[in-house]
Amino acid sequence: MNILIPLETSSRELLYKVYLCQLLALKGFNCYLGKKGSISYLMKKMRGYICLDKGYHEKVSEKLYDQIKENKGIIINLDEEGAVDYSDNSILLSRYSEKMFSKVDFIFLWGKNQHDLVIEKTNQNNRIMVTGHPRFELLKSKYHSFYEEEVN
């Protein structure tokens, strides 16, 4: 199965998405990682793929999601903005609207707190799972060399 992974901000996303692609490739998936424009092109040309979306944006994501669904794609949402929020959780809750749930197949969340908040708002437990985020794997000591130059 093909997995399409758009890249928007390489300084924030590239390293962990390359790592994720390696893990997925080892499991037998074909990963396509690239700029949003290139991945959008593939979304229109390919059929039956998985799209790893980095976050829902009202009045922007719907068009993209419709294209994916038209081509028999599966949408997995792993939001880039899943960790830090205001005390009222307004940012997190705004990113999980009913419109988003009507299009997205699965929602991967960073942790239990996010899970509990989203479940309370949506009651969509069968499509939501706590997976963590691949970028946290890169905080392990065996990957410190990736950041050595920046740290120094």
Side-chain angles (χ1 to χ4, degrees):
M1 164 121 346
N2 295 319
I3 300 182
L4 306 180
I5 304 176
L7 182 67
E8 186 175 11
T9 308
S10 60
S11 62
R12 176 173 78 171
E13 302 170 25
L14 181 61
L15 195 56
Y16 88 78
K17 287 185 175 180
V18 168
Y19 172 72
L20 178 61
C21 287
Q22 177 200 13
L23 295 176
L24 292 167
L26 291 171
K27 297 282 185 185
F29 293 95
N30 300 313
C31 293
Y32 296 84
L33 172 65
K35 292 183 180 181
K36 285 171 63 174
S38 299
I39 296 299
S40 292
Y41 174 81
L42 292 175
M43 287 176 189
K44 294 173 187 167
K45 299 296 180 185
M46 298 173 90
R47 295 184 62 76
Y49 51 82
I50 296 171
C51 177
L52 183 63
D53 185 43
K54 56 180 268 156
Y56 172 78
H57 300 284
E58 190 169 348
K59 297 183 180 162
V60 175
S61 296
E62 290 87 358
K63 182 177 178 182
L64 173 68
Y65 292 171
D66 289 343
Q67 177 68 57
I68 295 167
K69 290 300 182 181
E70 185 177 308
N71 288 343
K72 308 293 186 220
I74 296 169
I75 304 167
I76 296 176
N77 178 290
L78 177 60
D79 202 310
E80 287 295 319
E81 310 299 332
V84 180
D85 203 349
Y86 298 108
S87 59
D88 67 355
N89 300 302
S90 57
I91 303 239
L92 180 69
L93 292 174
S94 71
R95 296 180 72 86
Y96 296 95
S97 71
E98 290 301 320
K99 285 183 183 179
M100 191 268 300
F101 274 99
S102 71
K103 303 281 186 184
V104 172
D105 297 290
F106 298 99
I107 296 91
F108 293 172
L109 296 171
W110 292 31
K112 185 181 179 333
N113 290 340
Q114 291 85 1
H115 178 269
D116 294 347
L117 282 167
V118 174
I119 291 295
E120 183 179 311
K121 179 183 177 192
T122 64
N123 197 25
Q124 297 279 338
N125 197 32
N126 60 333
R127 297 187 297 145
I128 299 172
M129 52 199 89
V130 175
T131 61
H133 197 285
R135 73 169 66 171
F136 292 117
E137 284 298 306
L138 298 180
L139 295 175
K140 292 180 178 177
S141 60
K142 65 182 179 179
Y143 300 113
H144 284 181
S145 63
F146 291 165
Y147 304 102
E148 189 172 344
E149 187 176 317
E150 291 176 41
V151 169
N152 290 335

